[in-house]
Amino acid sequence: MKKDCEKQSFPQILLVGNPNTGKTTLFNRMTNSNEHIGNWHGVTVEEKSKIFNYGGQTFTLVDLPGIYSMSALSYEEQVAIDYIRLHSKTKIINICDLNNLERNLSLTLGLLEYGLDVILAINCMDKKPYRSIDAKKLSTMLQIPVVEINANKGWGIEKLGKYFTLPFKEAPKPRYVFSDLLMEFQKKLNCERKEFCAIKLFEKDEVVASLLGTDLEKCDLPEKSICYVANLRYKYIEQIKNECLKSSGRVYGKSKLDKLFLNRFLAFPIFILILCCVFYLTFFSVGKWLSEGLSWILDNTLGSLTQNVVGALFGRSSWIYGLVCEALIGGVGTVLSFLPQVGLLFLFLSLLEDSGYLSRVAFASEDIFGKLGLSGKSIYTLLMGFGCSTTAILTARNMDDKKAKIKTAMLTPFMSCSAKFPIYVVIGGAFFGVNNVFVILFLYLLGLAVALFLSFVYERTILKSKAQSFILEFPPYRWCGFKRLFSVLLDNMKTFLIRVGSLLIAMNVIVWVLSNFSFTFAFVPEQGGKSMLESLGVLIAPIFTPLGFGSWGISSALIAGFIAKEVIISSIAMFNNASSTQIGASLFNPASVVFFSSTASVISFLVFCLLYCPCISSVAVLQKEIGKKWTAFSVVVQFVIAYICSLTVYHFALAFAQYGFWVVFALVIAFIVVLLCIFKLVCVIKKPRTCHGCKGCK
């Protein structure tokens, strides 16, 4: 709270513009921040602010969500517009992309209609721009400062800064505002900012009409009033284009590669092939070598030193030795050894996003998502779920429809977040070796398939959503800058280390204490008996026996995984008393606490870890975004779906091992037919009965 108050005491500068014009890039450059950027509508869903200094004076820079006009079409646009209206006496940097200037200027004119103090920043993001601009002439036409910048490289920002310290000056209204029809309508209004309100009523803006207490149907608006205002704006923009812009004739965003990446038959196979390459480099080859190297260093330096020192001081059979060496060094070190792979995964995802490729994937998927009851905007949220479900759920705010938002938020935890892949790597790698890359790909696609299937069911039963707008622009394919990639890598590794250093240490200590002390607080390794965790795990284990992994150790690890999925691997390492390089081998040993008797039980366990209840932080965010009722429903559904899928996969895997491919194939077909019949029955029950009426009945 104190920090927020301090920010409010400094003059504010608002960053306003269309999505994908470089607002957040400029924000990062001016404030030395590392906020997430991307080619998406909805990357920024709420305002972000940070203090910065210029010319010996302190300011608060506010990055607002991207908007296309001063009329909101979504949640994040309303956030931005409300903020602008509340801070109408604040300087505004309106950032426009040189290559999309005509469309961007529509918002600029909307800001001028409102009477704001606007500084127009023309962002040129490409080495070879598609066009050039006469900034002085544009400044003369609009009667506002116009500065050419490159937000990525930082040039032009010094020129921009010269206008920060100037006193507030309301920009002149564009000349078309004073057209005869608008001027005549303004005379009927009794409010402030008559010019702006007249235009918004002509555009039938329900929010402005509500603020004015006006009924649009009784406003006596001319026919096609919306088209009238649009024509005025775009005629003016066309004049600006003719007088201030010189084009090279190239089409912005168009590329020959799109014939391949947007091909209706090749788009998804190419995407899967790219994912296979990413997973192979991350979980095998480069990622595996780096992870094994870090694991060896940790075991032979910090691990070995700690064991010798603590063992010499307290003895290797003492509880202090177990707590420090097994819980802290062993458990945390096991998870820490995956740091290189975490960094590589986020590096590749960032590379795909910044290159412009993921925008194409979203476009190619939009039709399918629409038929399954999701908006194209859901694609971004679900793809973010591959990184972290907690932050991805927050981006569901940009859904226009409430039911679509609820569906998207509930389906996001089905994605394979980065916290789950240590489970896939350790357990899958031990049993499947190099073929584990296909197992991992199967798990990633299974999570997506289950989410889409549930969306289809929700759409036709309890959460039927309305049609939604989906605006997505194609940036040109770009090479991601080394500095940007390094920044993303550093930021995600820092986040992972903070998570390991706080939550995972605490959880490992708790799990170790529960697994080494009885309810009478006797130290089990010395005095014998059952630990608290074993006593609880034995009670829960029968639930998982039909799934092929009904031991108390696995049950206890799954409970701990509800706090954070990474704890599952560190818990197994503690239970089996294995270092990070020994976990895989310990899973084959029948004497180990956590032991898998067959590959069928391994696949079943991996599927369950993929689909069962989200971590506690995701549950907290779900509750905040969609309410307690839907959060509870989501958690229960996830557990049930995980149980059913795990049970099905386990018995199919057993059947495959015993009877071969064709029997399993027939069972799969029969299973699908049964599911379709059940779904059809649900739809029939849900559909209201039609009464054709009896003779004489009203």
PDB file of all heavy atoms in Angstrom, residues 123-143:
ATOM      1  N   ASN A 123       6.369   4.134 -33.692  1.00  0.00           N
ATOM      2  CA  ASN A 123       7.342   3.077 -33.418  1.00  0.00           C
ATOM      3  C   ASN A 123       7.701   2.338 -34.706  1.00  0.00           C
ATOM      4  O   ASN A 123       6.828   1.810 -35.388  1.00  0.00           O
ATOM      5  CB  ASN A 123       6.750   2.100 -32.391  1.00  0.00           C
ATOM      6  CG  ASN A 123       7.783   1.115 -31.872  1.00  0.00           C
ATOM      7  OD1 ASN A 123       8.984   1.337 -31.983  1.00  0.00           O
ATOM      8  ND2 ASN A 123       7.322   0.020 -31.297  1.00  0.00           N
ATOM      9  N   CYS A 124       8.972   2.330 -35.037  1.00  0.00           N
ATOM     10  CA  CYS A 124       9.456   1.582 -36.199  1.00  0.00           C
ATOM     11  C   CYS A 124      10.231   0.374 -35.682  1.00  0.00           C
ATOM     12  O   CYS A 124      11.350   0.506 -35.193  1.00  0.00           O
ATOM     13  CB  CYS A 124      10.350   2.462 -37.065  1.00  0.00           C
ATOM     14  SG  CYS A 124      11.015   1.611 -38.509  1.00  0.00           S
ATOM     15  N   MET A 125       9.635  -0.826 -35.762  1.00  0.00           N
ATOM     16  CA  MET A 125      10.206  -2.013 -35.116  1.00  0.00           C
ATOM     17  C   MET A 125      11.077  -2.849 -36.055  1.00  0.00           C
ATOM     18  O   MET A 125      11.722  -3.785 -35.625  1.00  0.00           O
ATOM     19  CB  MET A 125       9.080  -2.887 -34.546  1.00  0.00           C
ATOM     20  CG  MET A 125       8.321  -2.227 -33.419  1.00  0.00           C
ATOM     21  SD  MET A 125       7.075  -3.299 -32.666  1.00  0.00           S
ATOM     22  CE  MET A 125       5.767  -3.190 -33.865  1.00  0.00           C
ATOM     23  N   ASP A 126      11.066  -2.551 -37.356  1.00  0.00           N
ATOM     24  CA  ASP A 126      11.783  -3.386 -38.317  1.00  0.00           C
ATOM     25  C   ASP A 126      13.044  -2.695 -38.832  1.00  0.00           C
ATOM     26  O   ASP A 126      13.090  -1.472 -38.967  1.00  0.00           O
ATOM     27  CB  ASP A 126      10.875  -3.727 -39.507  1.00  0.00           C
ATOM     28  CG  ASP A 126       9.660  -4.527 -39.063  1.00  0.00           C
ATOM     29  OD1 ASP A 126       9.859  -5.664 -38.615  1.00  0.00           O
ATOM     30  OD2 ASP A 126       8.533  -4.010 -39.163  1.00  0.00           O
ATOM     31  N   LYS A 127      14.050  -3.498 -39.162  1.00  0.00           N
ATOM     32  CA  LYS A 127      15.286  -2.954 -39.725  1.00  0.00           C
ATOM     33  C   LYS A 127      15.017  -2.321 -41.094  1.00  0.00           C
ATOM     34  O   LYS A 127      15.591  -1.306 -41.457  1.00  0.00           O
ATOM     35  CB  LYS A 127      16.334  -4.063 -39.861  1.00  0.00           C
ATOM     36  CG  LYS A 127      16.856  -4.575 -38.539  1.00  0.00           C
ATOM     37  CD  LYS A 127      17.910  -5.650 -38.755  1.00  0.00           C
ATOM     38  CE  LYS A 127      18.455  -6.147 -37.432  1.00  0.00           C
ATOM     39  NZ  LYS A 127      19.452  -7.220 -37.616  1.00  0.00           N
ATOM     40  N   LYS A 128      14.138  -2.971 -41.881  1.00  0.00           N
ATOM     41  CA  LYS A 128      13.756  -2.454 -43.185  1.00  0.00           C
ATOM     42  C   LYS A 128      12.267  -2.123 -43.152  1.00  0.00           C
ATOM     43  O   LYS A 128      11.423  -2.978 -43.443  1.00  0.00           O
ATOM     44  CB  LYS A 128      14.049  -3.488 -44.274  1.00  0.00           C
ATOM     45  CG  LYS A 128      15.526  -3.811 -44.426  1.00  0.00           C
ATOM     46  CD  LYS A 128      15.749  -4.840 -45.524  1.00  0.00           C
ATOM     47  CE  LYS A 128      17.231  -5.161 -45.683  1.00  0.00           C
ATOM     48  NZ  LYS A 128      17.446  -6.176 -46.747  1.00  0.00           N
ATOM     49  N   PRO A 129      11.923  -0.900 -42.742  1.00  0.00           N
ATOM     50  CA  PRO A 129      10.508  -0.548 -42.615  1.00  0.00           C
ATOM     51  C   PRO A 129       9.796  -0.576 -43.963  1.00  0.00           C
ATOM     52  O   PRO A 129      10.404  -0.379 -45.012  1.00  0.00           O
ATOM     53  CB  PRO A 129      10.547   0.866 -42.020  1.00  0.00           C
ATOM     54  CG  PRO A 129      11.897   1.387 -42.337  1.00  0.00           C
ATOM     55  CD  PRO A 129      12.804   0.214 -42.368  1.00  0.00           C
ATOM     56  N   TYR A 130       8.497  -0.828 -43.896  1.00  0.00           N
ATOM     57  CA  TYR A 130       7.677  -0.924 -45.089  1.00  0.00           C
ATOM     58  C   TYR A 130       7.343   0.456 -45.654  1.00  0.00           C
ATOM     59  O   TYR A 130       6.854   0.563 -46.759  1.00  0.00           O
ATOM     60  CB  TYR A 130       6.381  -1.673 -44.770  1.00  0.00           C
ATOM     61  CG  TYR A 130       6.589  -3.135 -44.502  1.00  0.00           C
ATOM     62  CD1 TYR A 130       7.261  -3.578 -43.363  1.00  0.00           C
ATOM     63  CD2 TYR A 130       6.129  -4.092 -45.389  1.00  0.00           C
ATOM     64  CE1 TYR A 130       7.452  -4.927 -43.114  1.00  0.00           C
ATOM     65  CE2 TYR A 130       6.316  -5.443 -45.167  1.00  0.00           C
ATOM     66  CZ  TYR A 130       6.982  -5.854 -44.028  1.00  0.00           C
ATOM     67  OH  TYR A 130       7.166  -7.189 -43.795  1.00  0.00           O
ATOM     68  N   ARG A 131       7.552   1.486 -44.873  1.00  0.00           N
ATOM     69  CA  ARG A 131       7.202   2.842 -45.294  1.00  0.00           C
ATOM     70  C   ARG A 131       7.991   3.859 -44.488  1.00  0.00           C
ATOM     71  O   ARG A 131       8.622   3.511 -43.489  1.00  0.00           O
ATOM     72  CB  ARG A 131       5.711   3.076 -45.098  1.00  0.00           C
ATOM     73  CG  ARG A 131       5.347   2.809 -43.663  1.00  0.00           C
ATOM     74  CD  ARG A 131       3.970   2.501 -43.288  1.00  0.00           C
ATOM     75  NE  ARG A 131       3.075   2.096 -44.304  1.00  0.00           N
ATOM     76  CZ  ARG A 131       1.772   2.215 -44.158  1.00  0.00           C
ATOM     77  NH1 ARG A 131       1.293   2.762 -43.076  1.00  0.00           N
ATOM     78  NH2 ARG A 131       0.955   1.787 -45.072  1.00  0.00           N
ATOM     79  N   SER A 132       7.929   5.109 -44.881  1.00  0.00           N
ATOM     80  CA  SER A 132       8.556   6.207 -44.133  1.00  0.00           C
ATOM     81  C   SER A 132       7.506   7.277 -43.888  1.00  0.00           C
ATOM     82  O   SER A 132       6.481   7.337 -44.583  1.00  0.00           O
ATOM     83  CB  SER A 132       9.737   6.790 -44.919  1.00  0.00           C
ATOM     84  OG  SER A 132       9.289   7.295 -46.176  1.00  0.00           O
ATOM     85  N   ILE A 133       7.761   8.141 -42.902  1.00  0.00           N
ATOM     86  CA  ILE A 133       6.770   9.137 -42.515  1.00  0.00           C
ATOM     87  C   ILE A 133       7.415  10.509 -42.358  1.00  0.00           C
ATOM     88  O   ILE A 133       8.575  10.615 -41.933  1.00  0.00           O
ATOM     89  CB  ILE A 133       6.068   8.720 -41.201  1.00  0.00           C
ATOM     90  CG1 ILE A 133       4.918   9.665 -40.887  1.00  0.00           C
ATOM     91  CG2 ILE A 133       7.051   8.656 -40.042  1.00  0.00           C
ATOM     92  CD1 ILE A 133       4.009   9.174 -39.786  1.00  0.00           C
ATOM     93  N   ASP A 134       6.653  11.528 -42.721  1.00  0.00           N
ATOM     94  CA  ASP A 134       7.062  12.914 -42.497  1.00  0.00           C
ATOM     95  C   ASP A 134       6.466  13.341 -41.158  1.00  0.00           C
ATOM     96  O   ASP A 134       5.315  13.771 -41.085  1.00  0.00           O
ATOM     97  CB  ASP A 134       6.550  13.791 -43.636  1.00  0.00           C
ATOM     98  CG  ASP A 134       7.090  15.214 -43.557  1.00  0.00           C
ATOM     99  OD1 ASP A 134       7.483  15.633 -42.452  1.00  0.00           O
ATOM    100  OD2 ASP A 134       7.094  15.906 -44.590  1.00  0.00           O
ATOM    101  N   ALA A 135       7.263  13.190 -40.081  1.00  0.00           N
ATOM    102  CA  ALA A 135       6.751  13.432 -38.726  1.00  0.00           C
ATOM    103  C   ALA A 135       6.365  14.893 -38.516  1.00  0.00           C
ATOM    104  O   ALA A 135       5.383  15.193 -37.831  1.00  0.00           O
ATOM    105  CB  ALA A 135       7.794  13.005 -37.693  1.00  0.00           C
ATOM    106  N   LYS A 136       7.126  15.816 -39.101  1.00  0.00           N
ATOM    107  CA  LYS A 136       6.824  17.236 -38.917  1.00  0.00           C
ATOM    108  C   LYS A 136       5.477  17.598 -39.535  1.00  0.00           C
ATOM    109  O   LYS A 136       4.681  18.338 -38.954  1.00  0.00           O
ATOM    110  CB  LYS A 136       7.931  18.085 -39.533  1.00  0.00           C
ATOM    111  CG  LYS A 136       9.250  18.030 -38.772  1.00  0.00           C
ATOM    112  CD  LYS A 136      10.283  18.957 -39.391  1.00  0.00           C
ATOM    113  CE  LYS A 136      11.591  18.915 -38.592  1.00  0.00           C
ATOM    114  NZ  LYS A 136      12.626  19.794 -39.205  1.00  0.00           N
ATOM    115  N   LYS A 137       5.218  17.059 -40.725  1.00  0.00           N
ATOM    116  CA  LYS A 137       3.957  17.353 -41.399  1.00  0.00           C
ATOM    117  C   LYS A 137       2.782  16.757 -40.634  1.00  0.00           C
ATOM    118  O   LYS A 137       1.726  17.379 -40.500  1.00  0.00           O
ATOM    119  CB  LYS A 137       3.994  16.804 -42.819  1.00  0.00           C
ATOM    120  CG  LYS A 137       2.949  17.416 -43.732  1.00  0.00           C
ATOM    121  CD  LYS A 137       3.291  17.137 -45.181  1.00  0.00           C
ATOM    122  CE  LYS A 137       2.403  17.975 -46.084  1.00  0.00           C
ATOM    123  NZ  LYS A 137       2.741  17.786 -47.512  1.00  0.00           N
ATOM    124  N   LEU A 138       2.975  15.529 -40.110  1.00  0.00           N
ATOM    125  CA  LEU A 138       1.919  14.894 -39.317  1.00  0.00           C
ATOM    126  C   LEU A 138       1.650  15.697 -38.050  1.00  0.00           C
ATOM    127  O   LEU A 138       0.494  15.860 -37.639  1.00  0.00           O
ATOM    128  CB  LEU A 138       2.333  13.458 -38.963  1.00  0.00           C
ATOM    129  CG  LEU A 138       1.347  12.649 -38.121  1.00  0.00           C
ATOM    130  CD1 LEU A 138      -0.002  12.529 -38.829  1.00  0.00           C
ATOM    131  CD2 LEU A 138       1.894  11.263 -37.807  1.00  0.00           C
ATOM    132  N   SER A 139       2.710  16.197 -37.420  1.00  0.00           N
ATOM    133  CA  SER A 139       2.554  17.008 -36.214  1.00  0.00           C
ATOM    134  C   SER A 139       1.759  18.283 -36.517  1.00  0.00           C
ATOM    135  O   SER A 139       0.910  18.707 -35.726  1.00  0.00           O
ATOM    136  CB  SER A 139       3.928  17.367 -35.644  1.00  0.00           C
ATOM    137  OG  SER A 139       3.807  18.201 -34.518  1.00  0.00           O
ATOM    138  N   THR A 140       2.021  18.875 -37.690  1.00  0.00           N
ATOM    139  CA  THR A 140       1.300  20.086 -38.083  1.00  0.00           C
ATOM    140  C   THR A 140      -0.178  19.791 -38.322  1.00  0.00           C
ATOM    141  O   THR A 140      -1.054  20.571 -37.915  1.00  0.00           O
ATOM    142  CB  THR A 140       1.923  20.680 -39.364  1.00  0.00           C
ATOM    143  OG1 THR A 140       3.307  20.953 -39.120  1.00  0.00           O
ATOM    144  CG2 THR A 140       1.218  21.955 -39.774  1.00  0.00           C
ATOM    145  N   MET A 141      -0.470  18.653 -38.949  1.00  0.00           N
ATOM    146  CA  MET A 141      -1.862  18.312 -39.260  1.00  0.00           C
ATOM    147  C   MET A 141      -2.662  18.014 -37.993  1.00  0.00           C
ATOM    148  O   MET A 141      -3.806  18.440 -37.848  1.00  0.00           O
ATOM    149  CB  MET A 141      -1.914  17.108 -40.205  1.00  0.00           C
ATOM    150  CG  MET A 141      -1.407  17.393 -41.606  1.00  0.00           C
ATOM    151  SD  MET A 141      -1.635  15.989 -42.726  1.00  0.00           S
ATOM    152  CE  MET A 141      -3.418  16.015 -42.936  1.00  0.00           C
ATOM    153  N   LEU A 142      -2.052  17.264 -37.052  1.00  0.00           N
ATOM    154  CA  LEU A 142      -2.767  16.877 -35.827  1.00  0.00           C
ATOM    155  C   LEU A 142      -2.626  17.911 -34.720  1.00  0.00           C
ATOM    156  O   LEU A 142      -3.370  17.875 -33.732  1.00  0.00           O
ATOM    157  CB  LEU A 142      -2.237  15.526 -35.318  1.00  0.00           C
ATOM    158  CG  LEU A 142      -2.468  14.315 -36.219  1.00  0.00           C
ATOM    159  CD1 LEU A 142      -1.815  13.070 -35.620  1.00  0.00           C
ATOM    160  CD2 LEU A 142      -3.957  14.055 -36.426  1.00  0.00           C
ATOM    161  N   GLN A 143      -1.629  18.813 -34.851  1.00  0.00           N
ATOM    162  CA  GLN A 143      -1.339  19.849 -33.862  1.00  0.00           C
ATOM    163  C   GLN A 143      -0.957  19.260 -32.503  1.00  0.00           C
ATOM    164  O   GLN A 143      -1.351  19.754 -31.449  1.00  0.00           O
ATOM    165  CB  GLN A 143      -2.534  20.804 -33.718  1.00  0.00           C
ATOM    166  CG  GLN A 143      -2.881  21.537 -35.002  1.00  0.00           C
ATOM    167  CD  GLN A 143      -4.019  22.506 -34.823  1.00  0.00           C
ATOM    168  OE1 GLN A 143      -3.927  23.436 -34.007  1.00  0.00           O
ATOM    169  NE2 GLN A 143      -5.095  22.300 -35.572  1.00  0.00           N
TER     170      GLN A 143
END
